Amino acid sequence: MTFYQELQVNQAGSKKIIRESASQREKLYHIAVYLTKIAITVAFCFIFVSLYSLGFGADNSIVGVVVLLYLLVFRSAHLCIRTGQSTLLLAGFFGIMAVGPHAANLAGPVGGLFINAAAIALLILFGCHEPRMFNQSTLVLGYLLLYGYDVSGHAYQMRLFGLAVGALLVCAVFYGNHRGNAYELCAGDILPAFDLRHPRSKWQLCQIICVPLVLFLAELSGMPRAMWAGIAAMSAILPAMDDMRYRVRWRIIGNIAGVCCFLALYFLLPSSIYAYIGVIGGIGVGFSAKYGWQAVFNTFGALAIATSAYGLKSAVGLRVAQNVFGVVFALLFCLILHRLFARWERSAS
């Protein structure tokens, strides 16, 4: 494996290479490659999002985050659909993100519930046909981030331009990297393949109904940052219930641990570098292969932003409450829905 090829390996793969090193010298080399990869990734992310902020306004830095997320994921991930059609679908997903989040915010909680459900249904059905790809962690996450950081007026016009540029970048990279791959599935095969007797379709239905419902209930109760609850629910909903229980448990533990670490940094570090706590979290995520640790470090960036808007105490309370509500509601919702499916299947047979 060349130096460049090893840079392409994910966190879990890099750690496995380091563990299986035959000598101390080889181990140190692989550690150096791993640290180089983290440094390059963090630097690229920082520069990319900064350029987006400069080009499309500070209110649209989140667009840079979403476009960056798409680029990092879909340069290697795919939709399991023919490459040309997948490229068009990705462009369509950017269209959904351009219109859906803003329209849902304008429509209020009730109208937003139906708009979010329709938008997430399209993302899940056509972008997440293979659950093992975890494409929902990119597609639905991007949608929810734009929903949570909505803008209006001139800033929204600039957001549309930013998303258009992002769509061109992502589609070009995706098509260039995947055009040599052969996928049998067509976009027209997706809806006929939806069958509630299949575990994939049950999982998709849980995502489509539960995530918008969590957003709706969080907003109805007057809690700010409803997107946190939606993201937590999306992240926890998996096809297998045992995997869901694992994620629910570690999402809660990880967020509480993340809050504690954030508070320690907040009180120990000088106020002049508070803005960099989110960067520390980003680096931590880069080192994390396990879901629980990712939940810990993801908390840093979220709290770094929320603290400036709501104050430290409110931001911490909101973060824990929204995440616990999101994952617990998702688990209970999916348990009930799966039992209803099982009863329906028994009666049908």
Side-chain angles (χ1 to χ4, degrees), residues 48 52 66-77 79 82-95 97 139 162-179:
F48 188 91
Y52 245 84
V66 172
V67 173
L68 177 65
L69 181 63
Y70 268 64
L71 283 171
L72 293 176
V73 171
F74 287 114
R75 67 190 177 92
S76 55
L79 304 182
R82 292 179 182 177
T83 301
Q85 295 181 3
S86 292
T87 306
L88 293 175
L89 283 171
L90 282 172
F93 295 159
F94 272 88
M97 291 192 298
L139 301 174
L163 287 169
V165 171
L168 291 173
L169 283 172
V170 171
C171 289
V173 170
F174 178 85
Y175 186 78
N177 286 6
H178 294 277
R179 61 183 175 181

Side-chain angles (χ1 to χ4, degrees), residues 185-203:
L185 198 66
C186 295
D189 299 326
I190 295 297
L191 293 181
F194 187 80
D195 184 350
L196 290 178
R197 292 168 295 185
H198 196 287
R200 177 190 61 236
S201 298
K202 294 174 184 175
W203 166 75

Side-chain angles (χ1 to χ4, degrees), residues 60 104 116 126 223:
N60 286 315
N116 288 331
F126 289 96
M223 285 196 292

